[in-house]
Amino acid sequence: MAEKQNKMSREEAGKRGGQTTSEEYSQEHFEEIGQKGGETTSKKYGQEHYKEIGQKGGRTSNSKNANSNR
């Protein structure tokens, strides 16, 4: 008789992967790769990109209250 395989959800797989990664690398490692990613994004998109997303702030495109008059 075939054994039933216990499958893990994507959420659980992601959580386990994140925990393993955080145990393998230091805080400095994550700071360094974050810095590199920020520099790459800045070079690719430029200052205008950051201006645009800064103006959007916390608004979302599907916000229920986006057009309400409070």
Side-chain angles (χ1 to χ4, degrees):
M1 187 177 231
E3 289 185 35
K4 182 179 177 182
Q5 291 182 345
N6 292 329
K7 293 190 177 185
M8 170 184 333
S9 71
R10 288 183 184 177
E11 180 181 0
E12 181 63 22
K15 183 177 178 180
R16 287 186 183 186
Q19 287 173 336
T20 300
T21 302
S22 70
E23 291 168 2
E24 290 179 10
Y25 297 97
S26 67
Q27 177 71 30
E28 291 79 22
H29 168 79
F30 293 108
E31 290 173 3
E32 183 180 321
I33 62 173
Q35 183 71 33
K36 287 180 181 180
E39 290 172 3
T40 300
T41 302
S42 180
K43 288 176 185 174
K44 183 176 181 180
Y45 295 105
Q47 187 176 11
E48 191 62 33
H49 169 73
Y50 290 103
K51 270 177 130 174
E52 185 179 316
I53 62 173
Q55 289 172 349
K56 289 180 181 178
R59 292 181 289 150
T60 61
S61 60
N62 63 354
S63 178
K64 293 179 182 178
N65 296 321
N67 296 320
S68 69
N69 296 327
R70 289 189 189 186

